[in-house]
Amino acid sequence: MFSPADLATLPFDDWVNAFVRGWLVPNFRPTFRAAQVPVSAVLAGLDWFFRWMPMLVTTAAFALVAWRTAGRATAIITVLGFAFIDMIGLWNHTMTTLAMIVTSVLFCTVIGIPAGILAARSDRAWRVIRPVLDIMQTIPSFVYLVPIVMLFGVGMAPGIIATIIFALPPIVRLTNLGIRNVRADLIEAAEAFGSTPWQMLWDLQLPLAMRTIMAGLNQTLMLALSMVVIAALIGAGGLGLVVNTGLGRLDVGGATAGGVAIVILAIVLDRITQGIADGAGLRGLSLRQAVMNLLRLRGTAPGAEAQKAG
């Protein structure tokens, strides 16, 4: 049967190679290398800190956070899971993986929340950002590694950069979604009361969208955990290195031990972040609180006159 390839074939791979190797790498590799300096600095500091902290202190801290945010059962799972990781000799690898995850999520938050706010406040910006996010989410994770190695080299910092790119879309999308889903009547009331765009964002939209934003942060964290394991293929350390080494040597026990440690860490981090999202302090603004904020912006909230008089 007839197909377009019978008429012509496109050397698409040659075009990409010519673009990357012939223009992008020679002209911009120093820029990309410089861009990884802050990532390397944050990662090195966190890795040193987590390795320096005694195992019992770290376990107690995570158990306390898990108990306060997700309940007693999660705290018990945290203690037992971390004790198991230490007893199988993977504590240092786990702390390196934890440092990589925290670094990735930190940069995703710094980049993703402002990008989501921009997308929510500007339809034109959203039309530009949305296809970029689509591409970032649909490209297979292994495909990221090739351009990352060519532009940034190998090592832990390039692995973190690949993780940031891979894990960024959920927090951008859900920040945009949370802000756009704020009730229109509250927005109109804030505008009628004369609130500035910054006041509307800070006192109304972000608090109401906080639970959705935290759900995006949770998804970003889970994607970061999966990607830091794959990033071991380009020189990143941690539990991913343990798994990949076990696979390369057909060491079923070693690979399984690394996989179990990853599962334990994923469960603990997932339950803690979900608990934070569901916690009383981060449930988001109630309708009554939203109205009180609007009244406060106008200066007519109960007690506002007394405060002015004082």
Side-chain angles (χ1 to χ4, degrees):
M1 295 180 62
F2 172 78
S3 69
D6 295 332
L7 297 178
T9 57
L10 299 177
F12 182 73
D13 54 344
D14 294 334
W15 295 346
V16 173
N17 287 330
F19 171 73
V20 174
R21 296 177 179 175
W23 181 77
L24 189 62
V25 172
N27 291 290
F28 290 96
R29 189 166 189 177
T31 303
F32 287 112
R33 288 294 184 93
Q36 71 180 356
V37 172
V39 176
S40 300
V42 174
L43 176 61
L46 288 174
D47 189 28
W48 173 84
F49 176 76
F50 286 130
R51 285 172 172 266
W52 172 78
M53 287 288 290
M55 179 267 174
L56 293 178
V57 175
T58 302
T59 302
F62 271 87
L64 179 61
V65 173
W67 176 58
R68 296 296 299 271
T69 58
R72 183 183 301 174
T74 303
I76 295 173
I77 292 173
T78 301
V79 172
L80 296 178
F82 279 16
F84 178 77
I85 290 173
D86 185 53
M87 287 188 291
I88 62 176
L90 293 180
W91 181 256
N92 286 334
H93 291 288
T94 303
M95 292 300 99
T96 298
T97 300
L98 180 62
M100 295 171 66
I101 294 170
V102 173
T103 303
S104 302
V105 172
L106 176 63
F107 279 94
C108 285
T109 303
V110 171
I111 299 170
I113 291 181
I117 293 172
L118 176 63
R121 299 177 73 89
S122 171
D123 291 334
R124 181 177 299 176
W126 177 234
R127 285 194 294 269
V128 174
I129 294 174
R130 184 177 181 180
V132 176
L133 297 179
D134 292 338
I135 294 172
M136 292 167 66
Q137 286 187 293
T138 53
I139 292 179
S141 54
F142 287 95
V143 177
Y144 282 106
L145 303 182
V146 177
I148 289 295
V149 169
M150 296 190 67
L151 297 174
F152 296 96
V154 296
M156 293 184 65
I160 295 299
I161 293 173
T163 302
I164 293 170
I165 298 172
F166 181 76
L168 183 62
I171 194 169
V172 178
R173 288 186 183 275
L174 289 176
T175 300
N176 168 65
L177 178 64
I179 294 177
R180 285 180 180 269
N181 283 346
V182 174
R183 289 174 47 168
D185 55 344
L186 294 177
I187 300 296
E188 294 172 0
E191 293 174 346
F193 288 167
S195 62
T196 64
W198 174 255
Q199 288 175 323
M200 187 187 306
L201 175 67
W202 186 256
D203 291 323
L204 184 68
Q205 291 174 309
L206 281 179
L208 283 170
M210 185 55 66
R211 192 166 188 175
T212 305
I213 294 172
M214 288 301 302
L217 183 64
N218 176 266
Q219 293 302 307
T220 291
L221 188 147
M222 291 296 101
L223 288 177
L225 179 58
S226 66
M227 189 62 189
V228 296
V229 176
I230 297 173
L233 294 174
I234 60 172
L239 295 172
L241 179 61
V242 175
V243 174
N244 287 323
T245 301
L247 291 175
R249 298 176 179 175
L250 295 180
D251 181 5
V252 179
T256 303
V260 171
I262 292 169
V263 170
I264 293 172
L265 185 60
I267 291 173
V268 171
L269 295 177
D270 178 66
R271 297 299 185 271
I272 289 176
T273 52
Q274 283 188 357
I276 293 174
D278 294 335
L282 292 176
R283 279 186 188 276
L285 212 60
S286 67
L287 179 59
R288 179 179 179 276
Q289 290 171 321
V291 173
M292 291 299 294
N293 269 2
L294 294 177
L295 293 174
R296 181 175 58 79
L297 291 175
R298 191 179 183 184
T300 59
E305 295 298 331
Q307 292 178 0
K308 288 182 179 179

